[in-house]
Amino acid sequence: MVMTRSRSETVVFKHPFRIASAERLLPAGSYEVITEEESTEGLSFPSFRPVATMMKVLAPPPRSPSVEMVTISSIDLSNAEEPTRWCDAPVDLDKHRSGAAPNIDIRRTLAEIERNAKVLRDPHVQLGPNVLAAPATPAKPRASALPELKEPGRDLRIDACRGIALWCIFLNHIPNNIGSWLTLRNYGFSDSAEVFMFASGVTCALAYGKAHARGGWRGVLGCTLWRSWDIYSAFLLLTLACAVVVYLAGGGRLADETNTRILLEHPGATLAQAVVLQYRPVNTDVLPLFVVFHLLFTPLLWLLLRASNVALSASLLVYASVHLFGWTVPSWPNNAWFFNPLAWQLLVVLGAWCVMGGKRFWPWMSSRTALVLAVLYLAFSLTVALGWSIRPPEVLVPQALAQLPYLAGKSDLDPLRLLHFIALTILVVWLVPRNWRGLTTPVMRAAIRCGENSLAIYCLGVLLALASHIALLKFSDDLAMQIALSFVGILVMIATATLLSSIRTKPRQRQPLMTSDFIAEDARRNASPVRPSNR
């Protein structure tokens, strides 16, 4: 049922002016402007669009002093001889007589309002909540907020974080590597895996939310299926590649360390288990996890759009059940996934929730109280982690606290790790604004390129880590060799990401927004124009 409402405003003119629709000179004074609006159908939230705007003016002689209603538009107001402002009291404009800047700014603003109104009246254009529900005067945030669907462009901080996380994952995958001391795992309870999972939830919500705005649920389902297939194919190819590299290196101890001996000795049965995501060589565990998450993201998005807090509560309930009742997912041949999907799903859902429904929660997260608590917890975890690395650990921390790193298990995402990541996120939000100039530096540009091509770069990083491990075993494991392998590996990842970004073309058979966890397409470059909806 279509509902209508009226909105009244006051326009103040300090000097006589002309309105094209009135066709006469009107005296200075205050004029009431009434805007008629009607509700927009087909949306899950209340929204109104303007259908008519009228202004009360004195009727011309001899009917004066009676009042008549004149239909106007924002263009009529912008063409008036006196600058105007929507307000409830007169505005002193004498201070701006030195130039025409105020008049120009007001005309531009009113013209933009008129263009937006024409778009809203077009029944063939399908718009999302970000266009229909934009606030008139947004409050200035105290700290940089996470990206939301209503914000234009792509938040480069997401790709930068994922790119740095990919570098850290590569360094950590090389056993006994001095380069791993540059990563998070030695300075707290969490590491790069949490960063990667959370950023994946953010990008999924952004990419699939836009896919829903353009193509509805059919478009979202198509995008999730295509992306799941991409990651699934990459996992199978990476499994075969790891087996080939280990075989060429001679197997032996390396085959046991990489969990590929069973694949080399029983290829048929092992590949059958890999096809159903039950077998995974070392360092490939995250790919099957994302295959499952992408397949399930369509119902998750449906729930987030309607009851985001319910979706987060259900995710927290599943996470709590993992730690209370020991829930897990069966695997082969070790009987458990290294990354328990029932636990790690929380970070993906949390990232998506921050985009879709967490805007009420983020003002508290960006408050000074949250910042102080986050810094205190990070300092505590840093002390414990460093104390664990020192022998004896009692030098920095008591014996009871020295055991905490052992308790912060990674497989089930221990609460100590989760709290450490949340504290780290609060600190980053405070220190790195959306328009941070550091994002334009060469190092950050390289990280952004790797983050944009994260699926390919992750697979490449696994193979580079395996090759580096072989080099350390076959040739030398001294400090210079470790530094050289770490440095060269990251350079190869950056060069590959730059090459992929330069040769990337827009797929013709797929939807334009195939970017989510391992986003390989830049939304700004691949975005297609809005098309009429067939629904």
Side-chain angles (χ1 to χ4, degrees):
M1 179 179 179
V2 178
M3 296 184 295
T4 61
R5 69 180 184 183
S6 298
R7 181 168 53 87
S8 178
E9 304 283 350
T10 301
V11 181
V12 179
F13 292 90
K14 294 198 64 176
H15 301 282
F17 64 97
R18 292 184 182 275
I19 292 292
S21 55
E23 298 182 350
R24 64 183 182 276
L25 185 66
L26 297 174
S30 299
Y31 290 82
E32 182 180 2
V33 177
I34 301 175
T35 302
E36 297 290 339
E37 299 177 338
E38 67 178 18
S39 60
T40 303
E41 296 181 341
L43 299 177
S44 59
F45 57 93
S47 177
F48 290 82
R49 59 181 180 182
V51 294
T53 304
M54 295 168 288
M55 184 169 66
K56 292 182 179 181
V57 300
L58 293 176
R63 291 183 294 168
S64 182
S66 61
V67 177
E68 65 178 1
M69 302 291 290
V70 178
T71 302
I72 62 170
S73 67
S74 60
I75 301 300
D76 293 329
L77 292 176
S78 65
N79 290 332
E81 294 181 356
E82 173 68 19
T84 63
R85 179 179 296 182
W86 295 90
C87 58
D88 294 324
V91 180
D92 187 4
L93 298 175
D94 293 336
K95 298 179 181 180
H96 304 286
R97 295 302 180 189
S98 58
N103 197 19
I104 294 175
D105 293 340
I106 290 172
R107 293 192 179 197
R108 288 178 180 175
T109 303
L110 292 175
E112 182 178 354
I113 294 173
E114 181 67 15
R115 288 194 298 269
N116 293 337
K118 290 181 179 180
V119 172
L120 288 171
R121 295 188 189 105
D122 188 356
H124 299 290
V125 178
Q126 184 179 2
L127 299 176
N130 53 323
V131 177
L132 296 175
T137 55
K140 183 179 179 181
R142 296 184 60 181
S144 175
L146 286 179
E148 296 183 7
L149 292 175
K150 65 181 180 182
E151 296 185 1
R154 184 188 185 101
D155 194 332
L156 297 180
R157 295 176 299 177
I158 302 173
D159 291 321
C161 288
R162 290 193 305 165
I164 296 174
L166 286 170
W167 296 347
C168 295
I169 290 171
F170 160 71
L171 295 176
N172 290 331
H173 282 174
I174 304 176
N176 302 319
N177 178 28
I178 189 65
S180 64
W181 281 95
L182 298 175
T183 65
L184 287 174
R185 72 176 185 180
N186 296 296
Y187 306 101
F189 300 139
S190 66
D191 58 21
S192 305
E194 284 84 357
V195 177
F196 202 76
M197 290 288 183
F198 180 81
S200 299
V202 173
T203 52
C204 277
L206 291 171
Y208 294 143
K210 293 177 182 178
H212 174 261
R214 287 192 172 99
W217 292 111
R218 180 179 298 179
V220 175
L221 183 61
C223 287
T224 54
L225 291 178
W226 272 115
R227 198 57 188 166
S228 300
W229 172 253
D230 286 343
I231 302 173
Y232 178 73
S233 302
F235 164 69
L236 294 180
L237 292 175
L238 182 60
T239 300
L240 293 176
C242 290
V244 170
V245 171
V246 172
Y247 176 79
L248 295 177
R253 170 188 169 188
L254 184 63
D256 294 327
E257 293 178 351
T258 58
N259 192 29
T260 55
R261 178 177 293 278
I262 190 171
L263 177 59
L264 296 176
E265 295 180 352
H266 307 282
T270 306
L271 286 177
Q273 295 294 333
V275 168
V276 294
L277 305 180
Q278 290 296 291
Y279 165 75
R280 297 166 301 280
V282 171
N283 299 334
T284 65
D285 305 78
V286 70
L287 295 178
L289 199 65
F290 279 116
V291 172
V292 175
F293 288 163
H294 278 268
L295 288 175
L296 298 178
F297 204 86
T298 298
L300 174 62
L301 181 63
W302 181 89
L303 185 59
L304 284 170
L305 288 173
R306 286 158 175 78
S308 58
N309 292 334
V310 173
L312 181 61
S313 300
S315 178
L316 287 170
L317 182 61
V318 174
Y319 173 78
S321 300
V322 170
H323 294 278
L324 292 176
F325 309 113
W327 289 4
T328 186
V329 177
S331 181
W332 184 89
N334 298 324
N335 299 324
W337 288 41
F338 179 74
F339 288 95
N340 187 349
L342 299 178
W344 283 84
Q345 53 80 27
L346 177 60
L347 283 176
V348 177
V349 175
L350 184 62
W353 175 82
C354 288
V355 176
M356 308 297 294
K359 55 186 177 180
R360 294 183 179 179
F361 183 69
W362 273 103
W364 182 87
M365 293 290 288
S366 58
S367 65
R368 295 188 182 275
T369 302
L371 178 64
V372 171
L373 294 176
V375 171
L376 291 176
Y377 187 79
L378 291 175
F380 165 73
S381 61
L382 175 63
T383 303
V384 173
L386 291 179
W388 181 60
S389 303
I390 297 175
R391 295 294 183 266
E394 292 81 1
V395 174
L396 287 181
V397 295
Q399 179 65 29
L401 295 180
Q403 302 300 318
L404 284 180
Y406 290 102
L407 301 178
K410 187 172 184 178
S411 180
D412 291 336
L413 187 62
D414 190 85
L416 289 174
R417 300 178 66 95
L418 180 62
L419 291 177
H420 182 266
F421 167 75
I422 294 175
L424 188 64
T425 302
I426 294 173
L427 183 63
V428 171
V429 166
W430 266 87
L431 297 181
V432 183
R434 183 185 177 97
N435 58 349
W436 182 48
R437 292 186 178 181
L439 295 172
T440 61
T441 60
V443 175
M444 287 296 101
R445 284 192 217 166
I448 289 170
R449 289 302 181 195
C450 291
E452 291 173 347
N453 302 277
S454 51
L455 175 57
I457 299 305
Y458 178 85
C459 296
L460 176 64
V462 172
L463 294 177
L464 289 174
L466 180 57
S468 300
H469 188 192
I470 294 173
L472 293 176
L473 292 176
K474 299 290 185 181
F475 302 103
S476 173
D477 61 350
D478 59 12
L479 184 62
M481 189 66 168
Q482 297 175 30
I483 295 175
L485 291 174
S486 301
F487 183 73
V488 172
I490 292 179
L491 285 182
V492 172
M493 295 167 70
I494 294 173
T496 304
T498 303
L499 179 62
L500 291 175
S501 296
S502 63
I503 65 175
R504 184 190 303 126
T505 56
K506 180 180 177 180
R508 295 182 180 180
Q509 292 83 9
R510 300 186 183 183
Q511 297 288 340
L513 285 170
M514 302 300 286
T515 60
S516 44
D517 284 313
F518 297 102
I519 292 189
E521 291 84 5
D522 191 330
R524 292 177 298 177
R525 292 193 294 270
N526 292 347
S528 62
V530 178
R531 299 177 181 175
S533 174
N534 294 327
R535 294 183 299 158

